[in-house]
Amino acid sequence: MVATERDLSLANIVHELKHRKMIRTNDQLTLHLAVQLVFMLLGWLTMLYDPKLDPDKDRLQIETVGKVSSRLLRSQALHSHDQNFEQVHQPLTHMFRIFGNIIPQPDLTVDPSVLSQQDCTGYLMVSYLSYHTLAKVAKIKIEWVDSLSLHLEFVESRRVLKVFRFPSFCQLVYSAKGNQTFLSRLFASRLSLHEDPFANPTNMEPREFLREVLLSYRLIFGQDRRAWKAFRKLWKRTDGVFGDGGAKACDPLLERLCGHSWQDEIQLYEELDAHDVPNHYSPSQDFPFLGRRLLRVQDFTKMQNPQDWRVLWSDRRDISSFGRHNLAVNGVHPSLTDIQNVVRFYTFSGVFATLFVTILVGILQIVIAAVQLAASYEQNRLQALSLHQSVT
């Protein structure tokens, strides 16, 4: 029923369960409890939202992350964490829209004819989105979440990037080919409300979204050696446990995707038909679901200026990819910001190298002077000893 019924609502599901004698609702209280239970089950089934385990009476509630003020709870995906029962008879797609963008949709599709006109300012750069750059240069922290709808949501005021911590779920559902799943029905219903002249319906399936989620781990962690090494340190420090002060165990696949080179998981990426591993991606072509979120993080990273020499030395934005862009591969040209970052890095490297050589030469001069002094002292000692022996 969940996978095949169109315009399904919470009330329909509860009614069907009652008809099949799978639940009993003797009064209004138990009926409302059944509605809340079904709402929770749908959240756990789809992982699109994290239902609250102890909701208030006659309320549908989504769990909030941490104890923060209501102002900081504002989200691009979730507009509300609490709703009454007025929407239980509405189709699930309409009810979810009250909470926000729980059902993902491509929000970055463009006319293919303008793709060739883009410069690198419109591309996703691995050097800007690497976890090493995010942590060292932009001082962004990772917040591991249980909701797919929150994946890669960036809270600029807190410098927090939310990352879904159950990639095994994405791999499992992606492997289940076909359009008869409950997620497929939800996405199809959401598609009927989506108006985009350049949108491709075949790219709006849940498998495409889950594919993007899995590829985002490669983009942020797996393609940069310093990034997955930094994740390893985080993994060891937390003993492979994230969330709620260590109360929740982590997905083993997360450690494999984020704590190792992408080449170690090449079989997985081949299953995702992601053979090419470029140093830049088109947000509209490669990440139509998540591209806008990634661009927001990249724009924030671009605006950051190192405040001390250690951060400046760690800053590799555009260094690894500048050479290719300078050759205008695929029509991609470096922006002024890219060039400035490269010039700044090499200027600092030149100054640092000059300072290092100067210090090294100074140390060598001191060592040579010390050796000469020691040799002179030994020579004088031998002369004095020889003179003393001749006198006696």
Side-chain angles (χ1 to χ4, degrees), residues 45-46 48 149 173 209 221 233 267 286 339 364 366 385:
L45 178 66
T46 63
L48 292 176
S149 59
V173 179
F209 170 68
F221 297 97
K233 293 181 180 178
Q267 182 177 355
D286 299 316
I339 297 174
L364 290 176
I366 293 175
L385 181 62

Side-chain angles (χ1 to χ4, degrees), residues 219-235:
L219 168 61
I220 297 175
F221 297 97
Q223 287 189 232
D224 187 346
R225 182 171 178 267
R226 294 161 302 162
W228 54 259
K229 280 199 168 186
F231 177 87
R232 277 189 181 182
K233 293 181 180 178
L234 177 64
W235 179 272

Side-chain angles (χ1 to χ4, degrees), residues 264-306:
D264 295 342
E265 295 296 327
I266 192 169
Q267 182 177 355
L268 170 62
Y269 294 118
E270 286 180 351
E271 292 175 359
L272 299 176
D273 194 24
H275 306 284
D276 296 333
V277 189
N279 61 352
H280 67 278
Y281 295 86
S282 167
S284 58
Q285 295 293 97
D286 299 316
F287 291 94
F289 283 94
L290 300 173
R292 192 176 298 278
R293 295 187 180 188
L294 289 168
L295 282 174
R296 188 164 182 260
V297 179
Q298 178 171 275
D299 290 342
F300 180 83
T301 305
K302 281 185 175 182
M303 295 186 297
Q304 306 308 305
N305 292 315

